[in-house]
């Protein structure tokens, strides 16, 4: 899925993901996936950087019983890091949520340029 870098893209990504993933009957918690996807798309929209017009790209695939989800944006991979917000901060917990909910996650250069953040859920499908 390709999204405009606007706040409206976050609920659009959730609707798209739910529609496509549920027909594949995962045993993982789809709501947890939606939380992680929302956080990563929000970060991509908020922190993606480009002098040119750009989009956020979301893709997912299955490897055996694992679910892998990528969120791409034109930002720099080195700028993606987990923050330690104070109790008063109202933002900055997105990657902490991904860290808790995902079995694995990573940040690196996107093959499309910019950054890709990936989360993985092992045993997302019964084998």
């Amino acid at each position: 899925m390709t999204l405009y870098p606007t706040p409206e893209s976050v609920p659009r990504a959730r609707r798209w993901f739910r529609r496509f993933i549920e027909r594949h009957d995962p045993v993982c918690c789809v709501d947890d996936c939606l939380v992680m996807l929302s956080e990563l798309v929000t970060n991509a929209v908020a922190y993606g950087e480009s002098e040119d017009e750009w989009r956020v790209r979301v893709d997912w695939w299955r490897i055996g019983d694992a679910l892998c989800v990528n969120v791409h944006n034109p930002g720099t991979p080195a700028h993606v890091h987990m923050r330690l917000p104070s109790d008063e901060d109202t933002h900055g917990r997105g990657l902490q949520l991904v860290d808790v909910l995902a079995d694995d996650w990573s940040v690196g250069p996107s093959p499309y340029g910019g950054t890709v953040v990936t989360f993985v859920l092992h045993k997302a499908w019964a084998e």
Side-chain angles (χ1 to χ4, degrees):
M1 173 176 222
T2 304
L3 303 158
Y4 289 99
T6 63
E8 294 81 23
S9 290
V10 177
R12 182 173 289 127
R14 284 192 304 260
R15 286 189 303 270
W16 169 81
F17 185 82
R18 183 181 293 278
R19 185 172 63 241
F20 283 101
I21 194 76
E22 286 184 339
R23 67 177 85 160
H24 295 280
D25 296 321
V27 295
C28 63
C29 181
V30 172
D31 288 337
D32 286 353
C33 294
L34 294 173
V35 168
M36 292 185 284
L37 180 64
S38 295
E39 294 299 334
L40 295 183
V41 171
T42 297
N43 287 349
V45 167
Y47 302 113
E49 301 171 343
S50 178
E51 292 180 12
D52 300 319
E53 187 173 322
W54 59 278
R55 303 285 186 273
V56 173
R57 179 184 168 108
V58 178
D59 49 47
W60 70 272
W61 68 98
R62 179 178 174 172
I63 300 175
D65 66 351
L67 168 66
C68 304
V69 178
N70 284 342
V71 178
H72 307 262
N73 75 42
T76 305
H79 292 159
V80 179
H81 60 279
M82 208 170 356
R83 292 183 48 208
L84 297 174
S86 71
D87 291 341
E88 294 80 34
D89 286 336
T90 58
H91 301 285
R93 293 174 178 80
L95 286 178
Q96 288 179 334
L97 288 170
V98 172
D99 189 55
V100 168
L101 295 173
D103 292 318
D104 291 309
W105 69 275
S106 62
V107 177
S110 171
Y112 306 104
T115 299
V116 60
V117 181
T118 302
F119 71 81
V120 178
L121 290 175
H122 301 293
K123 299 182 181 172
W125 283 274
E127 285 210 272

